[in-house]
Amino acid sequence: MTVNDDSFTNWKNREETAEAMIPIIGKLHRERDVTVLLHSRSLVNKSVVSILKTHRFARQIAGEELSVTETMPFLRALTTLDLGPSQIDIGMLAATHKADDQGLSVEEFTAQAVAGATGSNKIERSEGRDVVLYGFGRIGRLVARLLIEKAGSGNGLRLRAIVVRGGGEQDIVKRASLLRRDSIHGQFQGTITVDEANSTIVANGNAIRVIYANDPGEVDYTAYGIKNAILIDNTGKWRDRAGLSLHLRPGIDKVVLTAPGKGDVPNVVHGVNHDTVKPDERILSCASCTTNAIVPPLKAMDDEYGVLRGHVETVHSFTNDQNLLDNYHKSERRGRSAPLNMVITETGAASAVAKALPDLKARITGSSIRVPVPDVSIAILNLQLAREASREEVLDHLRDVSLTSPLRRQIDFISAPDAVSSDFIGSRHASIVDAGALKVEGDNAILYLWYDNEFGYSCQVIRVVQHVSGVEYPTFPAPAA
């Protein structure tokens, strides 16, 4: 048998194993509300090839490829346990078992590692929490996709309604079409039908009422059977407590803003300060995409080395706030054509760091350049550290953070030498450390952080909503502190 034959046979065997994984992963998700992960990447509703690629990607960060033949025994072991709602990372199970010296079998080790999700320790499945989207633009539609995707067993978050201003004839059909097809993020994964008579979009079986209103005060959500809901404001029209309080109508319990909040509105970056949100807080912000991109790695660097000062320069994709062609704009430069120019503009991300990381004493400054790409940005974080470090030491630290720390859902890591911005479209992490671009000299470190400013940010929004709604399930094995 030739090398090519060996390689192809190996591929077919792994393909067969991945095929066998799919029904197990699906059943755990539907029946027990268990989300199976591989190094923080969900395997729910993934194809055979996607499962194999996710396993291979582990090579980028862990240094060696992870095979489905290594993780399958752990997946099978999960099916024998009395599991409650949780997220279980079979990549971490395989890695920690390999390093374990107790001599436990896969079944024994798995039972021990996920004990917090079994028997008397398991949490009860929630009845679900209603969610309303106020506004249905770029972020609104991506958040909708994620909510529909995560509906899973019918527990957790349920997208019940979308509130928009009336747009004329066939408005709901056009909005459904924008949800179905996206020029950047591709086709919606599933089916969408429209019930114009009842002003409803049905996506993967989820009936979503489209409510037309020009002002929050016009809507009584209880009239649509909506109760105790979390409203996600994607318009950015209101950013202070007084304005966002207008949403606290019958049927709405909490308001989450997908833009930086002003005044005393808490700015929350999941993974960093989400656990400081008070249970009785009814209004909060998810800050900006750039704040979410820089704060987790900034915390990771400050925790290990100390940060004395820093500057962030964001090279940011253009947004809907800019003009396609030169025209009047209230900002000084954003009126110039977005697809034709690099545009220097301001960013509030640096000043927002203090809200998310109040213990950080370093002064962080920032500026931004908008460039002619429609999605994915890069933040260049230039830091003066409290002690000297080597490039290899910083790389190892950030790689470990991306794999095993509580920030592993926020920080990703890539060592591909030819990576470019379009490679990160659809990334679910808040930021991705580019290992090849990292610069370290003495007490100075310069981090290059890619981020999908649309989808990655939307994932952070969903994580915050899950947390404040009480349906953010624990992850096992527990990440290292």
Side-chain angles (χ1 to χ4, degrees):
M1 184 177 287
T2 67
V3 173
N4 285 341
D5 288 337
D6 281 342
S7 177
F8 186 67
T9 299
N10 178 263
W11 168 262
K12 299 302 287 185
N13 290 338
R14 286 186 292 137
E15 194 175 45
E16 184 179 9
T17 302
E19 285 175 353
M21 283 181 157
I22 292 174
I24 300 174
I25 293 167
K27 189 172 183 180
L28 284 169
H29 188 58
R30 286 191 309 275
E31 297 183 2
R32 305 192 196 181
D33 228 357
V34 172
T35 300
V36 177
L37 310 173
L38 187 92
H39 287 314
S40 300
R41 291 165 170 79
S42 174
L43 297 182
V44 176
N45 292 329
K46 294 297 188 290
S47 68
V48 168
V49 171
S50 180
I51 290 173
L52 291 173
K53 285 181 68 176
T54 304
H55 277 74
R56 181 164 175 75
F57 187 79
R59 181 173 58 92
Q60 291 277 356
I61 47 181
E64 58 183 13
E65 186 171 343
L66 186 63
S67 172
V68 287
T69 59
E70 295 177 76
T71 57
M72 183 57 147
F74 295 93
L75 185 59
R76 286 202 176 102
L78 294 177
T79 66
T80 67
L81 301 174
D82 180 26
L83 289 169
S86 55
Q87 300 185 100
I88 299 179
D89 194 318
I90 57 175
M92 285 298 296
L93 281 173
T96 51
H97 180 252
K98 188 181 294 185
D100 185 65
D101 58 4
Q102 298 179 79
L104 300 176
S105 67
V106 166
E107 293 75 17
E108 291 169 335
F109 182 83
T110 301
Q112 183 183 89
V114 304
T118 61
S120 60
N121 293 323
K122 68 181 182 181
I123 60 178
E124 294 300 319
R125 298 175 74 175
S126 67
E127 294 181 358
R129 189 72 175 270
D130 290 352
V131 178
V132 173
L133 296 180
Y134 198 97
F136 205 48
R138 297 297 302 152
I139 300 301
R141 292 194 294 275
L142 291 178
V143 168
R145 285 188 174 201
L146 286 164
L147 287 168
I148 295 163
E149 170 194 300
K150 294 179 181 298
S153 62
N155 299 285
L157 303 174
R158 301 177 302 194
L159 177 56
R160 295 293 306 282
I162 298 162
V163 184
V164 293
R165 289 177 293 184
E169 187 178 354
Q170 288 200 311
D171 179 271
I172 190 172
V173 173
K174 293 174 181 177
R175 293 187 189 277
S177 182
L178 286 169
L179 179 62
R180 184 181 290 114
R181 302 178 186 88
D182 190 285
S183 300
I184 295 171
H185 301 282
Q187 296 275 347
F188 174 79
Q189 296 300 304
T191 63
I192 294 175
T193 58
V194 177
D195 182 350
E196 287 190 81
N198 292 301
S199 192
T200 300
I201 296 172
V202 181
N204 289 358
N206 296 269
I208 307 160
R209 185 65 180 259
V210 178
I211 302 170
Y212 294 97
N214 294 315
D215 184 85
E218 297 179 10
V219 189
D220 177 358
Y221 295 96
T222 59
Y224 302 94
I226 296 168
K227 59 182 180 180
N228 196 35
I230 295 177
L231 182 144
I232 304 174
D233 184 329
N234 307 292
T235 68
K237 183 176 181 180
W238 303 277
R239 291 171 58 187
D240 60 12
R241 187 171 295 274
L244 293 169
S245 294
L246 297 172
H247 290 303
L248 294 174
R249 305 278 301 155
I252 303 299
D253 179 55
K254 295 180 185 291
V255 179
V256 175
L257 171 66
T258 61
K262 294 183 177 180
D264 67 342
V265 174
N267 281 253
V268 181
V269 174
H270 191 276
V272 175
N273 68 336
H274 67 277
D275 55 356
T276 66
V277 178
K278 297 176 181 177
D280 60 351
E281 178 60 75
R282 302 187 70 189
I283 295 174
L284 53 97
S285 156
C286 290
S288 71
C289 55
T290 302
T291 303
N292 276 266
I294 66 173
V295 166
L298 186 55
K299 174 176 169 53
M301 292 297 289
D302 187 50
D303 287 348
E304 181 68 18
Y305 304 103
V307 173
L308 301 181
R309 66 182 179 189
H311 177 81
V312 59
E313 187 77 35
T314 71
V315 182
H316 200 291
S317 60
F318 65 81
T319 69
N320 208 38
D321 175 64
Q322 296 171 255
N323 292 335
L324 286 175
L325 297 173
D326 290 358
N327 207 343
Y328 173 80
H329 195 290
K330 62 182 180 180
S331 295
E332 289 185 350
R333 305 190 201 221
R334 292 194 188 189
R336 301 299 299 277
S337 173
L340 298 177
N341 294 288
M342 293 189 291
V343 179
I344 297 174
T345 187
E346 70 283 345
T347 176
S351 59
V353 168
K355 283 192 172 185
L357 276 177
D359 293 336
L360 181 71
K361 305 306 178 186
R363 181 171 181 265
I364 307 295
T365 57
S367 53
S368 179
I369 303 172
R370 297 287 180 93
V371 293
V373 294
D375 187 31
V376 179
S377 305
I378 189 167
I380 304 166
L381 191 57
N382 193 331
L383 304 175
Q384 182 186 354
L385 308 178
R387 67 177 176 89
E388 293 190 355
S390 69
R391 184 175 185 275
E392 291 71 24
E393 180 187 353
V394 174
L395 276 177
D396 286 345
H397 171 60
L398 292 173
R399 183 186 292 109
D400 288 344
V401 166
S402 73
L403 280 171
T404 63
S405 83
L407 291 171
R408 63 188 186 186
R409 284 202 290 170
Q410 283 70 43
I411 300 176
D412 203 0
F413 185 95
I414 189 166
S415 56
D418 56 352
V420 293
S421 62
S422 62
D423 296 331
F424 306 102
I425 293 174
S427 169
R428 295 181 180 234
H429 289 76
S431 62
I432 305 100
V433 176
D434 191 311
L438 176 75
K439 305 284 191 296
V440 180
E441 186 173 344
D443 64 353
N444 178 240
I446 305 174
L447 279 61
Y448 288 75
L449 308 166
W450 298 101
Y451 58 110
D452 184 330
N453 47 277
E454 293 186 334
F455 197 72
Y457 176 68
S458 296
C459 290
Q460 282 287 87
V461 171
I462 291 294
R463 291 171 190 138
V464 170
V465 173
Q466 287 177 317
H467 177 72
V468 300
S469 65
V471 297
E472 183 181 33
Y473 300 140
T475 301
F476 299 97

